[in-house]
Amino acid sequence: MRIVLVGPPGAGKGTQAKVVAERLGIPAISTGDIFRANVAAGTELGVEAKKYMDQGLLVPDEVTIGLIRDRLTEADASAGFLLDGFPRNVAQAEALETMLTGIEVKLDRVVELKVDNDEVVRRIAGRRLCRNDSGHIFHVDSKPPAVAGVCDVCGGELYQRDDDRESTVRERLRVYQDETAPIVGFYAERGLLASVEATGALDAVTARILTALEVN
Ligand code: AP5
Ligand code: ZN
C-alpha cells in the first residue's frame, strides 16, 4: 500500500507510522527523522534544515521534494510506503502526485490524525526521543520508559527535541494551520482522505488507522 499520514505536530504520526508500516511490511519514510539524522551527523543538509526547524518553519520545498524523490526511488515506491511528515503543503502534494504519476503508481489512502491543541501541547511537553533512533519515541506519562531517561528498545539516551520548546511549538501549530491543513482538502477532493480520531490509547488509535486502511 502507498499511504500518507498527516496531522498536527504531536498527533502521533511518528509513533503510529512505525507500527502501521511494520504491520503492512512497507517502509516508513519520515522527513522529520531524515532531517534530525542529518542534524545529528552535521551534514550540509542538516545545517541547512536546522535553521528552519529551530524556528518551527518548513524547510524549503526544493530541499524536501528532492529528498523524497531520492528516498522513493531507493525504496522502490511501487512496492509500497508510508510517508510521515510529507507532503506538508499543497506544492509538495502536487510534486508527489507528479512523481508518482511518472512511475505509474497512485496513493491508496491519506490518513489524517485528528487531535486538539491542548492534547498536542501535553504530548509534546512530555515527549522524549532516543539519540540512536528517532523512531524510538516515548512520553513521560503515556508511554514511559522502564528506566527514566533510557530507551527500552536499544538502551540509548533519551532527550527532548530542540523544537519542542513552547514558543516553537506555537509556531509549528500556526504553520500546520496555514500551510499543511489545506492538503486535507486537496486529498478529500481526490477521494483519498480518511480522518481518524487520534486520542485514546496507542493501540486503539492503531486499530482505527488499520480500519481506515481496510486491513483490520
Ligand atoms: P516532524 O518531525 O515531522 O514534526 P511534526 O510534524 O511537528 O510532528 P512531531 O514529530 O512533533 O509529532 P508526531 O505527530 O510524529 O507525534 P509523535 O508520534 O512523536 O518535523 C519537524 C520539523 O522538520 C518541521 O517543523 C520542519 O521544520 C521540518 N520538516 C519535516 N518535514 C518537512 C516537510 N515535508 N517540508 C518542510 N519541512 C519539513 O507523538 C508525540 C508524543 O505523544 C510522543 O511522546 C508519544 O509518545 C505521545 N503519543 C503518541 N500517541 C499518543 C496517544 N494516543 N496517547 C498519548 N500519547 C501519545
Ligand atoms: Zn533507542
Side-chain angles (χ1 to χ4, degrees):
M1 284 187 105
R2 289 172 291 271
I3 305 160
V4 165
L5 263 190
V6 61
K13 301 182 296 298
T15 301
Q16 297 295 339
K18 306 301 173 293
V19 182
V20 171
E22 195 167 314
R23 164 80 189 262
L24 299 177
I26 54 178
I29 301 171
S30 157
T31 38
D33 282 357
I34 296 170
F35 289 138
R36 276 185 289 280
N38 276 276
V39 170
T43 66
E44 207 177 307
L45 171 66
V47 172
E48 180 66 11
K50 191 170 181 355
K51 290 185 217 158
Y52 299 92
M53 294 169 83
D54 282 353
Q55 297 179 69
L57 301 174
L58 297 185
V59 176
D61 287 347
E62 55 273 25
V63 177
T64 313
I65 291 168
L67 189 80
I68 282 294
R69 186 176 291 114
D70 292 348
R71 281 295 162 120
L72 288 181
T73 310
E74 209 177 277
D76 182 11
S78 57
F81 56 78
L82 189 160
L83 288 174
D84 155 19
F86 183 94
R88 232 178 169 92
N89 59 26
V90 171
Q92 293 182 9
E94 286 170 345
L96 178 64
E97 198 167 62
T98 306
M99 263 181 245
L100 296 180
T101 304
I103 53 170
E104 296 181 350
V105 297
K106 284 193 158 85
L107 285 177
D108 293 299
R109 264 280 181 277
V110 174
V111 178
E112 178 199 11
L113 298 184
K114 290 172 76 93
V115 187
D116 66 39
N117 281 2
D118 288 348
E119 177 68 4
V120 158
V121 170
R122 196 193 67 77
R123 287 187 184 181
I124 290 182
R127 171 165 50 195
R128 300 292 181 270
L129 288 186
C130 174
R131 288 224 184 264
N132 294 339
D133 184 337
S134 58
H136 301 166
I137 306 168
F138 297 86
H139 189 281
V140 292
D141 300 320
S142 54
K143 199 188 173 200
V147 178
V150 180
C151 175
D152 282 350
V153 185
C154 72
E157 182 198 359
L158 299 182
Y159 75 103
Q160 207 164 5
R161 272 167 47 175
D162 284 348
D163 62 345
D164 280 354
R165 273 174 277 120
E166 202 190 318
S167 59
T168 316
V169 172
R170 267 201 300 272
E171 184 62 3
R172 284 162 59 201
L173 280 167
R174 184 198 65 74
V175 169
Y176 181 79
Q177 285 311 326
D178 292 355
E179 300 187 44
T180 308
I183 72 170
V184 170
F186 177 95
Y187 286 121
E189 275 169 23
R190 285 157 176 76
L192 292 173
L193 187 72
S195 294
V196 167
E197 206 50 64
T199 41
L202 293 167
D203 292 355
V205 177
T206 307
R208 278 178 225 138
I209 295 171
L210 293 172
T211 301
L213 295 172
E214 295 169 19
V215 290
N216 223 359

